[in-house]
Amino acid sequence: MKIGILSSGGDCPGINATIRGVGKTAIMHYGMEVIGIHSGFVGLLNKDIQSFDERTILGTSREKPFRKLLASGESEKPQVILQNYEELGLDCLVCIGGNGTQKTAGMLSELGLNVIGVPKTIDNDVWGTDITFGFDTAVNIATDAIDRLHSTASSHKRVMVVEVMGHHAGWIALYAGMAGGADVILLPELGYDMDKVNETILERAQRGKPYSIVVVAEGVSTPDKKRPSDYITRTIEAATGIESRDTVLGYIQRGGNPSPFDRNLATRLGGHATELIANRQFGRMVCMKGNEVDSIALSEVAGKLKLVTPDHDLIIQGERMGISFGK
Ligand code: F6P
């Protein structure tokens, strides 16, 4: 069999381990031929490919070949992809990516391509899998940053607001906030009451702790529709009179070396993706169910988001410990 691999959407720690897992398993265990497709779906549109070897670097892009089609019914891109897939003689396309990529993978599967999805995102919001690789690394980086911000918070008696990524989901904020000992954690899924946030900070000051750490997910909405950390920091300072500062962690959260956990998760998912191909079980995304690797139909994944629910155990335990979730 001849398979193509592409990675689409944002860069994410663990993609290389996935490519290694798919590529080496395919070549060494199943005797398949593997080609790398550069820059996500752009590479498939332009036939920007290379034979897979030890030095292959694929890159990524946020190209969504169905976007214009959905908006106006005019895009020719899916047909170009179909034609290039045929001309390259591919038997299967492996799509590593987040929600948008899995949706595109599902649509290509409906067009008749043999497709396997591998979920990837630091946001941990792909429906149908308990965890995505990249998340653990991002949580480690964000937790380390929160640990470091405690120094300034306590020595200057400040409120330190730290904004973490996660798109519409609060997974990174919840896990890093709890691990880093935040006093307030704000998630897009829960909403928040600014008076309650200010109350928590003032109560701490009255108890002799005139410093606080507030972790806010980037997806939290604010009246000015701008970066939430900016609005929350200004509002806390105005309401409490305590000097407040904000830090936006940004792309640092998805760069550098993946954690060993993410490397091993990505390696397992890549290996199992190749097994699905060998068994001709196409139109599926590999996923984690607990500690076991499983798979789910791409049609079930498309268009859904896995969000934090209010009954998450970390929220329940956090509330019992006096951590405010802005309610
Ligand atoms: O999906 C990963 C992510 O880092 C989100 O957390 C963030 O909202 C988004 O990508 C940023 O996208 P871009 O790389 O296009 O700026």
Side-chain angles (χ1 to χ4, degrees):
M1 291 175 98
K2 184 176 180 184
I3 67 172
I5 311 177
L6 62 79
S7 170
S8 177
D11 54 273
C12 174
I15 297 177
N16 290 339
T18 312
I19 295 170
R20 178 187 68 166
V22 173
K24 287 198 163 177
T25 310
I27 294 167
M28 297 171 77
H29 186 70
Y30 291 108
M32 297 173 181
E33 187 185 343
V34 183
I35 62 160
I37 299 163
H38 291 289
S39 309
F41 292 105
V42 171
L44 200 51
L45 286 163
N46 302 334
K47 284 210 220 158
D48 183 5
I49 60 157
Q50 75 171 88
S51 262
F52 194 84
D53 67 31
E54 305 270 336
R55 292 176 308 280
T56 305
I57 300 287
L58 298 183
T60 189
S61 75
R62 290 204 182 271
E63 167 66 30
K64 291 182 175 157
F66 286 90
R67 184 160 38 193
K68 220 172 156 200
L69 180 72
L70 291 173
S72 65
E74 282 170 8
S75 176
E76 291 170 354
K77 288 177 180 176
Q79 287 312 317
V80 175
I81 285 181
L82 198 59
Q83 194 181 326
N84 288 348
Y85 175 93
E86 299 288 339
E87 284 177 13
L88 291 168
L90 293 179
D91 296 299
C92 181
L93 177 67
V94 178
C95 299
I96 306 168
N99 283 302
T101 304
Q102 300 311 327
K103 190 170 173 187
T104 303
M107 290 165 118
L108 290 174
S109 169
E110 277 171 29
L111 274 184
L113 267 62
N114 295 333
V115 184
I116 294 293
V118 183
K120 162 230 76 166
T121 171
I122 63 165
D123 303 336
N124 194 35
D125 62 351
V126 176
W127 180 267
T129 184
D130 287 352
I131 190 161
T132 53
F133 65 81
F135 175 61
D136 181 69
T137 305
V139 168
N140 273 295
I141 295 168
T143 304
D144 179 60
I146 296 165
D147 287 346
R148 289 167 193 274
L149 290 170
H150 277 282
S151 309
T152 294
S154 58
S155 20
H156 287 263
K157 302 183 179 54
R158 285 175 175 163
V159 174
M160 297 302 292
V161 179
V162 51
E163 180 180 314
V164 299
M165 279 188 164
H167 206 213
H168 297 300
W171 293 106
I172 299 175
L174 176 61
Y175 275 70
M178 287 297 292
D183 306 295
V184 178
I185 301 173
L186 302 180
L187 312 176
E189 293 91 338
L190 301 188
Y192 63 100
D193 176 343
M194 212 51 232
D195 291 339
K196 291 272 163 50
V197 172
N198 294 331
E199 250 171 53
T200 304
I201 288 163
L202 282 173
E203 271 169 22
R204 280 178 53 78
Q206 279 153 16
R207 279 190 280 123
K209 293 181 173 172
Y211 51 85
S212 291
I213 299 278
V214 178
V215 173
V216 54
E218 65 174 354
V220 162
S221 64
T222 57
D224 63 7
K225 311 268 179 238
K226 292 189 183 147
R227 286 222 157 274
S229 57
D230 181 51
Y231 166 81
I232 285 159
T233 308
R234 278 188 285 112
T235 312
I236 290 173
E237 189 168 88
T240 65
I242 303 175
E243 192 174 46
S244 305
R245 296 277 195 273
D246 76 312
T247 302
V248 180
L249 293 187
Y251 299 96
I252 286 167
Q253 290 159 100
R254 62 183 214 208
N257 291 333
S259 65
F261 177 89
D262 276 339
R263 296 180 206 196
N264 290 333
L265 174 60
T267 301
R268 289 176 74 193
L269 290 171
H272 281 269
T274 317
E275 194 179 325
L276 286 179
I277 299 169
N279 295 336
R280 305 195 67 83
Q281 289 177 270
F282 302 120
R284 302 188 72 75
M285 181 187 83
V286 282
C287 62
M288 292 305 293
K289 293 278 170 245
N291 195 33
E292 299 302 317
V293 184
D294 202 340
S295 70
I296 179 171
L298 283 166
S299 56
E300 277 189 56
V301 176
K304 296 181 194 148
L305 273 182
K306 186 188 72 186
L307 296 173
V308 178
T309 52
D311 61 353
H312 191 289
D313 194 44
L314 268 181
I315 297 180
I316 293 169
Q317 300 311 323
E319 278 175 338
R320 288 179 184 171
M321 290 160 57
I323 294 164
S324 166
F325 288 87
K327 291 283 162 198

